[in-house]
């Protein structure tokens, strides 16, 4: 059995039920004792040990005749009961009487061959008529003994037996409570374990999930319904937000295309180069937003794509921009191709975003390298100042900017992370060959 936590409901139920049972049992015994005492069951009971003491005190002489030996326990009994008496009948019919046998029992003593057990209780003090009859054995053989011995109060006996009986009942109830209650509670809460498992699978990328309520206790079902209602409202709000982003991205494509065309017609100068870089980044951002929306709506469009082909195409498209910004852009890719399952446009724009990030922050000099490995890894590295180790996780957060005065929105790397995660992969920053930044994308390979 697993140890219960401090706030465990199972532990609380066990101890509360155990305490309730103990109190209930105590009250029951108390009521029983009060009923017995109130029923006027007063009087006394004779200790049946008198018959055994008498049987052990009777022995036979060398002629086989019965005789009474004054044993130590018999002496003690005489001292405790001054008017001690008994009548014993052997299985041979021999009778021995000791003390003053009350007249009421003298006639009964003649018929001990027909009685083997009796408890006779006197209702009036000094209880001279209280006696017992028992069949017992001693050194001289078997005897039926009628006698009077030490007296016990009936009330005391009832109390003693009640308390003695309460101990095993309490132990049984304790064992049942400790063993049975956890099992019962575990079975009752088994539906909650299923709900907890379903709740752990709820994620922003897997919307529409709802918690089951089929095997949930009725007391917890309103909470499950409330959570499902909250999930439904969150899904609806997310969908509204996504539709707004999709519409905004569509509306931005036309003015961005017009802006790019006008910038390209400008005379070649540093300002034109800078404007081309800025408009290229804006265009890539709008396209990535559209890609994310498409991936959210339908992943059935995924197909086999070649990462080497994608990276070569990105290098060809961005080479003029990189060269104009003072860089050398190179590609290292497997000749046989690296096949994965995904969306060509989205993966292409993820690589574009990383290359544009290198152009933006690579120091306007050096080499930007795109390397594709056969295990589904794409690395984009530059020779700039790099990214501090303490901020390599934060740069992927939305709206986070490494340098607060940067004019970017801080969404580019976050969108790369979202695209890669939707393809079942991950993106990290590793130490490159040079001192610059090296972004590594890892995507699962397609099954052969």
């Amino acid at each position: 059995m697993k140890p219960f936590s401090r706030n465990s409901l199972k532990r609380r139920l066990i101890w509360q039920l155990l305490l309730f049972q103990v109190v209930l049992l105590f009250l029951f015994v108390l009521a029983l004792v009060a009923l017995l005492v109130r029923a006027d069951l007063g009087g006394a009971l004779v200790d049946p040990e008198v018959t055994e003491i008498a049987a052990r005190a009777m022995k036979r002489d060398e002629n086989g005749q019965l005789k009474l030996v004054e044993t130590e326990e018999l002496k003690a009994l005489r001292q405790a009961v001054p008017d001690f008496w008994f009548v014993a009948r052997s299985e041979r019919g021999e009778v021995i009487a000791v003390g003053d046998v009350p007249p009421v029992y003298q006639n009964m003593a003649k018929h001990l061959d027909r009685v083997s057990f009796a408890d006779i209780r006197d209702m009036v003090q000094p209880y001279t008529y209280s006696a017992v009859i028992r069949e017992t054995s001693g050194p001289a053989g078997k005897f039926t003994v009628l006698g009077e011995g030490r007296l016990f109060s009936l009330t005391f006996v009832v109390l003693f037996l009640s308390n003695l009986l309460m101990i095993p009942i309490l132990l049984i109830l304790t064992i049942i409570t400790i063993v049975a209650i956890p099992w019962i509670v575990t079975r009752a809460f088994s539906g909650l374990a299923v709900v907890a498992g379903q709740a752990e699978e709820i994620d922003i990328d897997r919307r529409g999930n709802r918690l089951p309520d089929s095997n949930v206790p009725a007391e917890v079902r309103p909470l499950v319904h409330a959570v499902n209602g909250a999930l439904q409202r969150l899904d609806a709000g997310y969908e509204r937000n996504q539709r707004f982003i999709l519409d905004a991205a569509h509306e931005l494509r036309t003015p961005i295309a017009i802006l790019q065309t006008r910038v390209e017609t400008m005379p070649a100068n540093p300002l034109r180069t800078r404007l081309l870089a800025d408009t290229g980044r804006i265009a890539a951002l709008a396209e990535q937003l559209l890609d994310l929306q498409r991936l959210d709506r339908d992943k059935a469009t995924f197909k086999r794509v070649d990462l080497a082909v994608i990276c070569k195409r990105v290098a060809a498209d961005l080479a003029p921009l990189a060269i104009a910004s003072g860089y050398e852009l190179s590609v290292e890719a497997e000749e046989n191709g690296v096949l994965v399952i995904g969306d060509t446009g989205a993966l292409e724009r993820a690589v574009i975003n990383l290359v544009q990030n290198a152009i933006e922050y690579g120091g306007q000099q050096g080499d930007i390298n795109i390397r594709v490995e056969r295990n589904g890894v794409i690395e984009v590295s530059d020779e700039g100042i790099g990214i501090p180790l303490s901020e390599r996780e934060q740069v992927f957060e939305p709206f986070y900017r490494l340098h607060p005065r940067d004019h970017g929105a801080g969404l580019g790397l976050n969108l790369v992370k979202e695209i890669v995660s939707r393809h079942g992969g991950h993106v990290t920053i590793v130490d490159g060959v040079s001192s610059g930044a090296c972004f590594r994308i890892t995507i699962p390979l397609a099954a052969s």
Side-chain angles (χ1 to χ4, degrees), residues 360-376:
E360 180 74 23
Y361 301 106
Q364 305 297 315
Q365 61 181 355
D367 183 49
I368 297 175
N369 179 258
I370 305 173
R371 187 158 63 95
V372 184
E373 300 179 1
R374 66 175 58 193
N375 56 351

Side-chain angles (χ1 to χ4, degrees), residues 193-362:
V194 176
V195 172
Q198 292 284 347
E200 290 180 354
E201 297 179 2
I202 295 176
D203 190 79
I204 191 67
D205 296 327
R206 293 191 296 269
R207 295 180 299 279
N209 289 348
R210 297 294 182 266
L211 303 180
D213 62 353
S214 55
N215 294 323
V216 176
E219 294 79 3
V220 185
R221 195 167 296 153
L223 176 61
V224 175
H225 292 167
V227 172
N228 286 337
L231 291 174
Q232 183 175 0
R233 291 190 295 273
L234 289 174
D235 286 347
Y238 183 85
E239 291 297 331
R240 287 195 299 270
N241 181 65
Q242 294 301 88
R243 284 196 300 271
F244 170 78
I245 295 175
L246 178 61
D247 294 340
H250 273 295
E251 292 297 326
L252 285 173
R253 296 178 76 180
T254 300
I256 290 174
I258 295 173
L259 180 61
Q260 283 181 314
T261 302
R262 290 178 177 177
V263 171
E264 289 172 356
T265 61
M266 292 176 59
N269 55 55
L271 177 60
R272 176 180 178 274
T273 302
R274 183 66 179 177
L275 290 175
L276 282 175
D278 290 341
T279 55
R281 186 174 61 252
I282 295 174
L285 177 60
E287 292 300 327
Q288 285 178 342
L289 289 174
L290 293 173
D291 287 334
L292 287 178
Q293 300 306 311
R294 186 171 66 252
L295 291 174
D296 278 338
R297 291 195 307 271
D298 187 12
K299 290 187 179 181
T301 59
F302 281 20
K303 59 182 180 180
R304 284 176 175 265
V305 296
D306 190 342
L307 295 182
V309 172
I310 289 176
C311 291
K312 290 177 181 179
R313 186 162 52 241
V314 170
D317 293 340
L318 295 182
L321 179 61
I323 294 172
S325 300
Y327 299 98
E328 293 291 334
L329 182 59
S330 60
V331 179
E332 299 177 22
E334 293 288 334
E335 293 295 333
N336 297 329
V338 180
L339 297 179
V340 298
I341 300 298
D343 183 275
T344 303
L347 291 174
E348 184 174 320
R349 265 178 282 277
V351 179
I352 289 174
N353 192 289
L354 293 181
V355 175
Q356 288 182 329
N357 187 78
I359 294 174
E360 180 74 23
Y361 301 106

Side-chain angles (χ1 to χ4, degrees), residues 109-275:
K110 299 177 182 178
H111 303 283
L112 289 179
D113 58 328
R114 303 176 61 182
V115 181
S116 61
F117 182 93
D119 279 303
I120 305 170
R121 184 164 59 86
D122 195 344
M123 299 292 293
V124 181
Q125 292 186 0
Y127 309 121
T128 54
Y129 292 135
S130 295
V132 294
I133 300 176
R134 295 289 189 275
E135 191 176 71
T136 184
S137 298
K142 291 184 178 181
F143 293 89
T144 302
V145 181
L146 165 64
E148 176 196 21
R150 287 184 290 263
L151 302 179
F152 291 98
S153 169
L154 182 60
T155 302
F156 169 77
V157 173
V158 171
L159 288 173
F160 177 77
L161 292 178
S162 299
N163 286 276
L164 189 64
L165 182 63
M166 187 172 66
I167 294 175
I169 294 178
L170 181 60
L171 290 176
I172 293 174
L173 288 178
T174 301
I175 294 173
I176 292 176
T177 302
I178 294 176
V179 175
I181 295 301
W183 180 75
I184 294 173
V185 173
T186 300
R187 289 197 60 187
F189 288 173
S190 60
L192 290 181
V194 176
V195 172
Q198 292 284 347
E200 290 180 354
E201 297 179 2
I202 295 176
D203 190 79
I204 191 67
D205 296 327
R206 293 191 296 269
R207 295 180 299 279
N209 289 348
R210 297 294 182 266
L211 303 180
D213 62 353
S214 55
N215 294 323
V216 176
E219 294 79 3
V220 185
R221 195 167 296 153
L223 176 61
V224 175
H225 292 167
V227 172
N228 286 337
L231 291 174
Q232 183 175 0
R233 291 190 295 273
L234 289 174
D235 286 347
Y238 183 85
E239 291 297 331
R240 287 195 299 270
N241 181 65
Q242 294 301 88
R243 284 196 300 271
F244 170 78
I245 295 175
L246 178 61
D247 294 340
H250 273 295
E251 292 297 326
L252 285 173
R253 296 178 76 180
T254 300
I256 290 174
I258 295 173
L259 180 61
Q260 283 181 314
T261 302
R262 290 178 177 177
V263 171
E264 289 172 356
T265 61
M266 292 176 59
N269 55 55
L271 177 60
R272 176 180 178 274
T273 302
R274 183 66 179 177
L275 290 175

